[in-house]
Amino acid sequence: METGQNVQQLPKAEIAAPATPRNLLFGSLIFLFVTSAFYLFSAGYKKVAETQVQNLDNEIQDTVASLSKDEVQKVLTLDAEIKKLRTLLPNHVYMSRAFQFLETNTSPKIAFSSLNFDTTTNILQLSGTAPSLTDVSLQAAAFKQAPDVRDVVIRDIGIGRDGRAYTFKLDVFVLKSLILAQ
């Protein structure tokens, strides 16, 4: 019995070959060579680094041996003085900045006769004379508008010896920034 059916044959699908021992051996050898090269590079770098450290240590020892005790003491003293200056300079008071402030903010009608500055309270105490009480008031207002001034207090107002001018005292409360280096 023959049937008239044509049977078509399907193409054979290729199945990937499983990892062969030869491929596994080849991959392992490549990994071994890469790790060996990395190890040799690291070991060589370690030797180079140790040699450089030893050379620097020898150079330091030679320099120390060549210095006398007097020279070492002078260097240590200089280092200590530099460290002290680093702490002192930021807190150094520059009174020239206060004079510049007075020159900029003082009315031409006002004459100051004395100045005292208390660095602990940051109060600039001024004594002066003015032709009128209005001028004293305007001077206090001018100081108060300055950015480095917190407050101004007028006190001890009186009439001068000649009877034409008024004497007064001003307490100007300033910020530390007025007299410190910037």
Side-chain angles (χ1 to χ4, degrees):
M1 264 203 211
E2 259 188 50
T3 59
Q5 295 178 347
N6 279 342
V7 177
Q8 286 184 341
Q9 284 190 346
L10 297 173
K12 291 184 181 179
E14 291 187 29
I15 300 173
T20 62
R22 192 170 44 172
N23 288 345
L24 187 60
L25 179 65
F26 183 66
S28 297
L29 285 175
I30 290 176
F31 182 72
L32 177 67
F33 286 135
V34 168
T35 54
S36 297
F38 181 72
Y39 174 76
L40 291 174
F41 173 76
S42 298
Y45 182 75
K46 180 181 177 186
K47 275 195 168 199
V48 168
E50 286 175 349
T51 303
Q52 287 179 346
V53 167
Q54 185 61 40
N55 288 342
L56 286 174
D57 190 39
N58 290 341
E59 189 176 327
I60 289 170
Q61 294 300 328
D62 292 343
T63 304
V64 168
S66 69
L67 295 175
S68 70
K69 288 187 178 187
D70 276 346
E71 289 174 332
V72 172
Q73 188 61 37
K74 287 178 184 177
V75 168
L76 291 175
T77 303
L78 180 63
D79 182 54
E81 289 176 2
I82 289 172
K83 286 179 182 176
K84 286 178 188 175
L85 281 176
R86 285 186 180 153
T87 59
L88 290 176
L89 282 179
N91 295 323
H92 180 70
V93 174
Y94 292 94
M95 282 307 296
S96 60
R97 297 188 75 213
F99 290 120
Q100 183 181 9
F101 165 78
L102 289 174
E103 182 179 348
T104 305
N105 295 299
T106 301
S107 167
K109 295 180 180 180
I110 301 293
F112 290 114
S113 57
S114 70
L115 173 138
N116 184 25
F117 187 77
D118 186 351
T119 57
T120 58
T121 59
N122 296 331
I123 298 176
L124 184 63
Q125 298 170 335
L126 302 167
S127 297
T129 58
S132 70
L133 293 176
T134 304
D135 291 325
V136 175
S137 177
L138 290 173
Q139 181 59 62
F143 281 158
K144 197 164 187 171
Q145 289 179 353
D148 289 325
V149 175
R150 290 183 316 192
D151 197 13
V152 178
V153 174
I154 303 170
R155 59 182 179 86
D156 297 341
I157 296 177
I159 297 176
R161 291 186 181 171
D162 61 0
R164 295 182 189 167
Y166 291 91
T167 61
F168 64 94
K169 292 185 180 179
L170 290 178
D171 289 341
V172 183
F173 294 82
V174 298
L175 299 176
K176 202 71 159 166
S177 60
L178 177 69
I179 56 163
L180 292 181
Q182 293 180 346

